[in-house]
Amino acid sequence: MVSRVQAVRAAARMTMKIFFADPQWIIPAIIAPFIFTLVALLLFRNETGPLLLYAVLGGGLMGMWGTTVYGSGTSITFDRFNGTMEATLAAPVPLMWIIGGRVAWNTFIGVINGGIILVIGTLWFRTGISIANPLAFTFATVVTYVSLSSFGLMLATVYVLTRQGGFIMNSLEVPVYIATGTMFPVALLPLATQPVAFILGPTWGIEAIRKAAIAGYTGLATSYWTDIGILAIETAAYFAISFYLFGRVERLAKRNGTLEEY
Amino acid sequence: MQEAGEGSSAVDVKDLRREYVTRSFLKKTTKVTAALDGISLRVARGELFGLIGPNGAGKTTTIKILTTLLSPTSGSAKILDLDINKDMYEIRRRIGIVFGGERGLYNRVTAVENLKYFADLYGVPPSEITGRVKKMIEMVGLEGRENERVEKYSRGMKQRLHIAKALIHDPELVFLDEPTIGLDPGGARDIRNMVRGMKKDGKSIFLTTHNMFEADELCDRVAVISRGKIVALDTPAGLKKSAKDISVIELQTYGADANFVQRIEKIGGVTRVVADLDSERQSIRVQTEFPTEVLPTIVGLAGDVNIIDKSIREPTLEDAYLRLVEE
Amino acid sequence: MDTSTSLRRRVSMAVQVFTSSIGFGRKGTVIWDSPEMIAMQVFLLPLFQISFFAVLAQYLDYSGSAVQYIVVGNALQAMSYSAVFAVANITSTDKWQGTLETLMVTPANRMALFVGRAVFQSGLSALIALGGLFYASELFGVSFAHADVVGVLLVVLVTSVTMMCFGLLISSVGLFLRTAMILANIFLFLTMLVSGVNFPLSTLPGWAQPVGYAIPMTYGTSAIRLAISGASLGGIGSLVADEVLVGAVAIMLGYLTMVGFERLARKTGRFEEY
């Protein structure tokens, strides 16, 4: 167990170093959701009041989410392009922990990205950040961060298995913006698509964040703690699924003998 | 074939097979090719074992299976008495791997950062990492350059860093996959000296190579693999002895042509002729069981061809190897 | 060898490079080429993008015509992923694979090589835009009753080609940079911001407007809205002409950038380090 924690830490640290030494791997993961979010926020330019805070908070989550989606792919593709996939796979630690460390850092960058969008959004719209309950807001953000990391970890397995992972992930970015109610209530969507919203962590994350930040916000008919509770349960499920998928990925890679030439 | 002694072994492989199934999706056909066709071998602890064979013979497949990167289709393999299917992570902790070629290092960060990272991944206690890294840097002679980005390194320096990386967690068994490929003679010699150093430190070593001189010089025993099968397994001396029936006549000539080579090939008792006719001065190597009888016959055939030098020598490992893999 | 055969030979060689690059641009450098991936791009990409912005506009009580403005703009812009991002990535892929140097030592006609490899992506991008327009009509109530079909098709085709030219320019600039992917990303989304996709250029700050006029998409979004509302070919002609002009400038700049890079690389002996 100690060695696994050590591996997570080492992987996160290495990812951080590469982030500074060779930013082209993660920068696209920041820019894409950043500009996309700005475009969405521009559509709010004629609005006033709490709806603007609603929008910039949603924008922050879009930034976090977008960076996670791209970043989880980078966590793996980087090794493939760098020729270190074999060395990573040969380490005496299950792959999940190494990738976990990388995803943790990349998602952290997503939080920073979300924060920047939040600040730019509030400056732009001159709403000012007045958070109703700062403590609950911070807590909800941290839980959302952990939840996004677990989700990113799960997505990363797709990249190990196929080099079309990058494309699949890019296609997932916008649907999740739609399905999780980042910019408009889930209730506006066709009924059939709504269950998707409820199994996605970001839906509950943004609910809790908005309830903590906007006084009098109701949104879904759940309480702040119900949102946090559901988010926690889903996060645990994402970790469990990741654990299972990484086990499969490692077995599959061994059986097919295709480590680098997908 | 000579066997390693009984008792605890570094590598113990029995009847290992590995098949690749390639499916053509459109044509709905499947094709099975055996990369390894039932190989068995044992490497004793502390032994320096070499696996030699032509490209595509199964060397890399063997190393991948033994380092737990690839599952065999059937057969069993034990590394340090641990089963490759059951004790994967324990095996990985106790072995080091040097992959051939340039791949496998993070180019955008420094040597020290690479080593620290892999030390963490291999579970070296955090308090010991700095010391280990320093020791490895010294051992492979990268002092003074250790804080430069790896992308600035020459091929030889990268390979030394590979060795340092493989030894960072002080493994008991080290796999080296063609460690000197693409290196200049000086760089290759440095690597060979490091491999000798590992053996002196009591490590078991499993090495693949194309270089017969290297195998002869370094290895305690050598297995020759060809088309997925082990075709010989012995000490280098033993392998050469097995080729004793083929001595080699070496000729240096002026004016030799393909016609002359053909005539030599027809002489009774000649098994193989290798000729380099491209330069002004040609070199011709004739393998035969009866050099003392064949040589005068060649001289008799010479005619216009001017033989300026002729000698008979004992077979080298390369002669033995070539005969084995071409049979 | 007399000059006429030499010229003919040169042309036939360039044609050979061009046609083989078309196939190779699909296989060797772009990895999203399986039928499923192509189907995903044509059917899902525009659907998601249009849905996001259309539902958002509806939520914000935009008028029906404002929502349709957004729907049509995104239907056309959705092609950028293929025409700009994927095309710009051709160079990056070469760098990663280490094939850039191998390409540069060939005697192939550079223009043929350059354009040939992007043709597949350009064609795909036209299909994506058509997919977007299909959804605009079937799901988002954009009426094509008065549309000039020939004009619509012409705008889609011209935009896919000119945006490919624009993608090639970015691809060439990317030769000099380690950060080609960053550049590709910025421009992919910049078209969403400054090309009259979701809101008219006039709503942007003054400094951002010239950027819009340097991108072919800006003319494309205006022209396609006109064509859908029934403008004749003559009515959209000047916009299309401007678009072609901007695209031609982009590809010339891109070509010169590539040739310049080759010179520089030959001088310094470094191809893959940038």
Side-chain angles (χ1 to χ4, degrees):
Chain A
M1 198 60 218
V2 176
S3 71
R4 289 178 184 185
V5 174
Q6 193 180 351
V8 171
R9 217 177 40 217
R13 204 183 299 139
M14 185 57 129
T15 314
M16 181 185 76
K17 280 178 189 151
I18 289 163
F19 172 78
F20 290 114
D22 193 12
Q24 72 159 318
W25 291 99
I26 187 76
I27 293 282
I30 298 174
I31 291 172
F34 185 81
I35 303 183
F36 194 93
T37 306
L38 288 190
V39 174
L41 284 178
L42 265 174
L43 293 181
F44 283 82
R45 66 191 179 283
N46 297 323
E47 304 295 333
T48 49
L51 190 59
L52 283 181
L53 188 56
Y54 173 93
V56 291
L57 289 171
L61 187 82
M62 279 169 72
M64 283 169 75
W65 166 254
T67 308
T68 304
V69 168
Y70 284 92
S72 64
T74 306
S75 312
I76 294 270
T77 26
F78 174 71
D79 260 341
R80 190 173 293 150
F81 286 122
N82 205 37
T84 37
M85 190 70 123
E86 244 175 349
T88 300
L89 281 165
V93 196
L95 186 63
M96 175 173 160
W97 302 91
I98 301 177
I99 302 302
R102 296 179 187 172
V103 168
W105 169 263
N106 288 333
T107 310
F108 174 70
I109 294 297
V111 175
I112 305 278
N113 194 20
I116 295 172
I117 290 172
L118 197 65
V119 171
I120 289 183
T122 47
L123 288 178
W124 193 350
F125 290 132
R126 302 197 181 85
T127 53
I129 305 183
S130 62
I131 302 294
N133 186 343
L135 200 65
F137 174 80
T138 311
F139 182 67
T141 307
V142 170
V143 178
T144 305
Y145 163 70
V146 176
S147 176
L148 282 172
S149 299
S150 67
F151 201 86
L153 192 60
M154 195 167 73
L155 293 183
T157 54
V158 178
Y159 286 84
V160 191
L161 290 176
T162 164
R163 60 167 153 187
Q164 286 168 336
F167 178 73
I168 295 172
M169 293 302 126
N170 283 359
S171 329
L172 266 182
E173 185 195 351
V174 179
V176 173
Y177 294 159
I178 299 173
T180 54
T182 49
M183 284 286 166
F184 42 76
V186 176
L188 289 181
L189 297 174
L191 207 58
T193 63
Q194 290 184 21
V196 179
F198 301 125
I199 59 165
L200 291 173
T203 308
W204 305 103
I206 189 63
E207 269 302 298
I209 287 173
R210 281 185 177 135
K211 278 177 186 137
I214 307 172
Y217 174 80
T218 46
L220 297 169
T222 46
S223 72
Y224 173 84
W225 287 108
T226 312
D227 296 337
I228 295 281
I230 296 174
L231 185 56
I233 291 167
E234 289 185 353
T235 303
Y238 296 157
F239 274 122
I241 295 170
S242 304
F243 189 76
Y244 168 76
L245 287 177
F246 269 100
R248 266 190 68 105
V249 160
E250 282 192 271
R251 278 195 301 277
L252 215 66
K254 262 183 86 171
R255 194 168 63 222
N256 298 346
T258 49
L259 294 170
E260 297 199 299
E261 63 265 23
Y262 300 82
Chain B
M1 288 202 182
Q2 185 178 325
E3 273 301 319
E6 285 302 308
S8 175
S9 57
V11 177
D12 189 357
V13 170
K14 285 203 183 77
D15 203 27
L16 208 57
R17 281 182 65 82
R18 168 72 204 188
E19 288 162 358
Y20 285 97
V21 181
T22 40
R23 278 193 188 86
S24 165
F25 183 71
L26 290 176
K27 293 173 195 154
K28 305 261 181 217
T29 55
T30 53
K31 201 178 134 204
V32 180
T33 35
L36 284 187
D37 196 2
I39 68 164
S40 302
L41 56 87
R42 273 195 64 191
V43 178
R45 300 247 180 176
E47 186 177 10
L48 206 170
F49 188 89
L51 183 65
I52 60 180
N55 292 330
K59 295 193 299 294
T60 300
T61 303
T62 307
I63 282 222
K64 280 192 168 178
I65 291 176
L66 298 185
T67 55
T68 76
L69 284 172
L70 182 66
S71 334
T73 309
S74 64
S76 75
K78 285 196 165 158
I79 302 297
L80 302 166
D81 302 318
L82 298 162
D83 188 286
I84 52 161
N85 291 316
K86 289 188 206 125
D87 308 303
M88 186 165 83
Y89 292 115
E90 181 58 24
I91 290 173
R92 290 181 183 190
R93 248 186 291 282
R94 290 164 60 180
I95 62 174
I97 312 166
V98 178
F99 296 108
E102 295 220 27
R103 298 166 75 81
L105 294 166
Y106 290 92
N107 284 318
R108 295 292 169 88
V109 296
T110 68
V112 169
E113 286 168 331
N114 267 286
L115 292 179
K116 280 189 173 163
Y117 174 62
F118 282 103
D120 275 323
L121 292 193
Y122 278 88
V124 176
S127 59
E128 296 171 19
I129 289 180
T130 313
R132 279 299 296 174
V133 168
K134 191 163 180 289
K135 198 173 152 202
M136 285 302 112
I137 293 279
E138 280 165 15
M139 190 200 84
V140 301
L142 287 172
E143 309 100 305
R145 303 286 302 268
E146 70 267 38
N147 287 316
E148 282 176 34
R149 286 191 187 185
V150 174
E151 61 191 351
K152 294 195 179 140
Y153 281 18
S154 69
R155 177 79 186 78
M157 289 168 72
K158 280 185 187 167
Q159 193 62 354
R160 282 186 271 158
L161 182 56
H162 268 301
I163 301 239
K165 189 202 98 184
L167 297 180
I168 191 74
H169 55 297
D170 198 18
E172 295 161 52
L173 166 63
V174 183
F175 289 89
L176 299 111
D177 193 3
E178 298 181 16
T180 57
I181 201 162
L183 297 183
D184 62 40
R189 188 194 53 209
D190 290 346
I191 299 290
R192 282 197 292 274
N193 286 336
M194 284 174 204
V195 174
R196 281 197 199 91
M198 291 177 208
K199 183 176 158 67
K200 211 172 284 168
D201 289 342
K203 298 191 190 308
S204 315
I205 297 159
F206 191 102
L207 168 100
T208 73
T209 183
H210 275 310
N211 184 330
M212 294 306 131
F213 164 73
E214 186 169 287
D216 195 0
E217 198 188 65
L218 288 176
C219 297
D220 297 323
R221 287 186 311 143
V222 172
V224 180
I225 188 167
S226 176
R227 296 192 196 98
K229 286 192 159 86
I230 303 264
V231 292
L233 197 165
D234 208 332
T235 60
L239 282 179
K240 282 185 266 188
K241 210 182 283 168
S242 76
K244 205 173 172 199
D245 54 316
I246 42 162
S247 290
V248 175
I249 301 169
E250 291 192 320
L251 304 170
Q252 298 287 331
T253 60
Y254 276 124
D257 54 10
N259 183 22
F260 180 57
V261 173
Q262 271 173 15
R263 276 186 286 160
I264 297 176
E265 276 168 348
K266 283 186 193 130
I267 299 172
V270 168
T271 48
R272 214 174 113 80
V273 182
V274 181
D276 175 10
L277 301 175
D278 289 339
S279 48
E280 191 191 354
R281 204 168 113 160
Q282 303 86 30
S283 64
I284 300 172
R285 293 166 61 192
V286 183
Q287 271 183 13
T288 172
E289 220 173 315
F290 318 103
T292 43
E293 288 83 12
V294 169
L295 184 55
T297 319
I298 295 175
V299 174
L301 283 171
D304 288 345
V305 178
N306 184 4
I307 299 176
I308 50 177
D309 190 26
K310 53 183 191 286
S311 61
I312 296 173
R313 64 161 175 79
E314 292 294 295
T316 63
L317 188 58
E318 188 170 356
D319 297 321
Y321 165 79
L322 283 175
R323 189 168 72 154
L324 282 164
V325 300
E326 283 172 9
E327 257 168 15
Chain C
M1 209 192 315
D2 83 305
T3 12
S4 67
T5 54
S6 146
L7 182 67
R8 191 187 297 163
R9 170 105 186 94
R10 277 210 301 258
V11 170
S12 81
M13 273 170 71
V15 169
Q16 187 187 351
V17 168
F18 182 73
T19 48
S20 121
S21 293
I22 293 176
F24 193 74
R26 199 187 137 217
K27 278 271 159 214
T29 57
V30 184
I31 50 183
W32 313 305
D33 78 315
S34 67
E36 309 92 71
M37 292 295 130
I38 291 172
M40 256 176 99
Q41 289 185 71
V42 173
F43 293 110
L44 295 184
L45 209 85
L47 176 64
F48 289 141
Q49 187 179 328
I50 298 171
S51 299
F52 178 82
F53 287 106
V55 177
L56 177 55
Q58 277 159 2
Y59 172 57
L60 296 175
D61 286 330
Y62 275 48
S63 69
S65 64
V67 173
Q68 295 208 346
Y69 181 95
I70 287 173
V71 168
V72 173
N74 281 290
L76 192 66
Q77 199 277 342
M79 71 157 58
S80 302
Y81 190 83
S82 178
V84 177
F85 187 71
V87 167
N89 259 328
I90 292 176
T91 339
S92 303
T93 316
D94 269 328
K95 281 196 195 173
W96 291 326
Q97 297 183 143
T99 42
L100 189 59
E101 199 161 8
T102 328
L103 272 182
M104 290 294 188
V105 299
T106 65
N109 177 294
R110 293 297 183 255
M111 197 66 163
L113 184 74
F114 190 53
V115 179
R117 300 198 316 151
V119 165
F120 174 76
Q121 290 301 323
S122 178
L124 181 56
S125 76
L127 284 181
I128 294 173
L130 290 178
L133 292 173
F134 171 77
Y135 289 123
S137 152
E138 299 303 309
L139 297 180
F140 297 95
V142 174
S143 165
F144 281 75
H146 306 289
D148 177 358
V149 177
V150 177
V152 168
L153 291 178
L154 178 73
V155 174
V156 168
L157 188 70
V158 167
T159 309
S160 71
V161 172
T162 53
M163 286 303 276
M164 172 199 77
C165 296
F166 186 69
L168 284 172
L169 170 59
I170 298 171
S171 168
S172 287
V173 176
L175 286 168
F176 290 91
L177 303 170
R178 268 186 170 162
T179 46
M181 265 177 32
I182 300 183
L183 216 60
N185 256 289
I186 291 178
F187 278 95
L188 168 62
F189 288 94
L190 210 57
T191 57
M192 218 177 246
L193 199 59
V194 301
S195 289
V197 173
N198 287 297
F199 26 78
L201 219 55
S202 56
T203 58
L204 289 173
W207 56 265
Q209 293 184 17
V211 182
Y213 291 116
I215 301 176
M217 178 63 69
T218 309
Y219 307 90
T221 51
S222 299
I224 198 129
R225 288 189 187 106
L226 285 178
I228 290 173
S229 65
S232 66
L233 281 182
I236 60 171
S238 71
L239 277 171
V240 173
D242 287 347
E243 185 173 13
V244 169
L245 187 69
V246 173
V249 170
I251 198 159
M252 280 322 296
L253 283 178
Y255 179 69
L256 292 176
T257 309
M258 183 177 68
V259 173
F261 172 77
E262 249 190 294
R263 289 231 178 100
L264 179 77
R266 205 178 297 133
K267 209 181 286 171
T268 58
R270 286 183 290 186
F271 277 91
E272 327 254 314
E273 272 184 34
Y274 292 95

